[in-house]
Amino acid sequence: MLKIANHPIYKHELPEGHRFPMEKYDLLPQQLIYEGTCTAENFFEPKIPNYKHFFTVHDPEYFFDLLNITLSQKAARKIGFPLSEVLIAREMMIADGTMKASEYAIKNGVAMNIAGGTHHAFSNRGEAFCMLNDQAIGAKYLQQNGLADKILIVDLDVHQGNGTAEIFQNDSSVFTFSMHGKSNYPFVKENSDLDISLDNNTKDTEYLATLKEILPKLIHQENPDFIYYLCGVDVIASDKLGKLALTIAGCKERDNFVLQTCFDLKIPVMCSMGGGYSPDINTIVNAHANTFRTAQEIYF
């Protein structure tokens, strides 16, 4: 059974006009259940985990400043959310959802987190709606519990996974691969183990050809026993914060290729949804829903 981390707190109230589409965390599970892709049994609710899990990738001083909301104004401003106890609890639950979904992926081949993909969270700071790096925390959780040795992070959000790159810059047990828009945020990039920067308005054909050439070779080279897939849908042409030009069908083919590759090679994969900022919320929900539809079609 496909297991998906979700919690009511994932949808957190933001000031009117805020550009982050928080309502998608309500609408996406509703859509998946309405259309019959999922049932209530597919979903599980994460909790606030033991703080020790955060210290595997985040500096304790930063974590407690975040927890106590004592970050400097400059540091808080970079995160882009009005900080609150509920928001910090939400971020911790997202990380727990990714840790638990990682274990489900080992059992079932694949698992998902409705939220997550907080790849702009560095070891000592947050940026761009990201405070705690859920996939980095998940990777160290698997390793420390003897559930995986070599991990590959496949980050296909339109924005480079700069925080993830920084966290694992000196850790050869986690290989970071980011394929993103060259001129998108962050404007000063970190060095992932492999970065593929795409020109503005890159369309389906070029994007998919690049991915299909690189990913199988990379998996063969690194021989991971677990893959984290960050499947942001901000690669589509209508996205307000992205500069690529994929169609929704192209984005779905991307997901199909990644998941089918993992399935064929019998490598467990855990998916965090990442970004999506199209003006029409229905576009965002449909593009994200395709990832879940694809997983169900391939695995179950």
Side-chain angles (χ1 to χ4, degrees):
M1 176 185 288
L2 180 64
K3 298 300 288 184
I4 305 165
N6 187 34
H7 196 285
I9 203 174
Y10 276 12
K11 181 179 181 291
H12 174 69
E13 295 301 322
L14 293 174
E16 187 174 350
H18 197 284
R19 63 180 179 171
F20 190 86
M22 194 68 77
E23 61 269 36
K24 75 178 182 179
Y25 299 113
D26 259 356
L27 297 175
L28 180 54
Q30 290 175 16
Q31 176 62 32
L32 294 171
I33 291 174
Y34 172 78
E35 70 188 27
T37 297
C38 298
T39 69
E41 292 182 353
N42 290 110
F43 297 94
F44 70 91
E45 289 191 4
K47 303 184 184 303
I48 294 176
N50 189 305
Y51 294 169
K52 69 179 183 180
H53 298 301
F54 305 125
F55 305 146
T56 60
V57 301
H58 292 293
D59 293 346
E61 182 178 357
Y62 164 66
F63 173 76
F64 284 113
D65 278 343
L66 182 66
L67 183 68
N68 298 318
I69 316 181
T70 53
L71 292 171
S72 69
Q73 286 188 345
K74 180 180 180 182
R77 190 162 54 248
K78 284 187 175 182
I79 291 171
F81 285 138
L83 298 183
S84 66
E85 290 182 2
V86 174
L87 182 72
I88 306 308
R90 172 185 183 270
E91 195 81 353
M92 291 191 285
M93 288 182 186
I94 288 173
D96 186 62
T98 292
M99 286 189 284
K100 288 190 170 82
S102 300
E103 292 195 75
Y104 281 120
I106 290 172
K107 295 175 184 175
N108 302 323
V110 65
M112 327 284 275
N113 195 338
I114 284 282
T118 46
H119 60 163
H120 300 309
F122 287 67
S123 60
N124 62 355
R125 69 183 188 274
E127 288 184 4
F129 313 136
C130 302
M131 290 160 276
L132 299 170
N133 195 308
D134 70 299
Q135 292 194 333
I137 293 164
K140 299 317 291 184
Y141 173 79
L142 289 182
Q143 290 179 333
Q144 292 194 341
N145 285 277
L147 299 172
D149 293 318
K150 185 59 181 283
I151 292 173
L152 171 63
I153 295 180
V154 177
D155 188 336
L156 300 186
D157 195 271
V158 81
H159 307 103
Q160 191 215 30
N162 56 344
T164 309
E166 181 268 336
I167 287 169
F168 293 119
Q169 60 186 335
N170 298 313
D171 185 346
S172 62
S173 71
V174 179
F175 190 99
T176 55
F177 165 44
S178 179
M179 191 163 91
H180 49 264
K182 181 186 299 183
S183 59
N184 269 114
Y185 176 93
F187 304 112
V188 177
K189 308 288 195 289
E190 298 291 324
N191 292 319
S192 307
D193 292 308
L194 176 61
D195 284 302
I196 302 296
S197 298
L198 302 172
D199 291 330
N200 288 357
N201 300 311
T202 295
K203 295 179 171 59
D204 292 353
T205 301
E206 180 183 350
Y207 184 100
L208 292 166
T210 301
L211 178 64
K212 290 178 181 181
E213 178 184 1
I214 289 170
L215 186 60
K217 293 178 182 177
L218 182 57
I219 292 174
H220 179 74
Q221 169 190 307
E222 295 301 318
N223 193 28
D225 44 27
F226 195 94
I227 290 176
Y228 281 101
Y229 176 30
L230 205 169
C231 35
V233 300
D234 41 13
V235 294
I236 62 178
S238 60
D239 198 88
K240 295 183 293 185
L241 301 184
K243 297 182 180 180
L244 302 184
L246 271 67
T247 64
I248 290 181
C251 189
K252 183 177 182 180
E253 187 176 344
R254 174 203 70 174
D255 291 343
N256 184 80
F257 177 73
V258 174
L259 295 177
Q260 187 68 56
T261 298
C262 293
F263 178 82
D264 291 344
L265 296 175
K266 296 181 172 57
I267 304 172
V269 58
M270 185 272 148
C271 307
S272 294
M273 288 302 101
Y277 308 94
S278 292
D280 184 354
I281 189 66
N282 294 312
T283 300
I284 300 172
V285 170
N286 186 40
H288 277 312
N290 275 336
T291 311
F292 295 85
R293 295 165 184 149
T294 301
Q296 289 281 32
E297 289 167 4
I298 292 173
Y299 284 86
F300 302 103

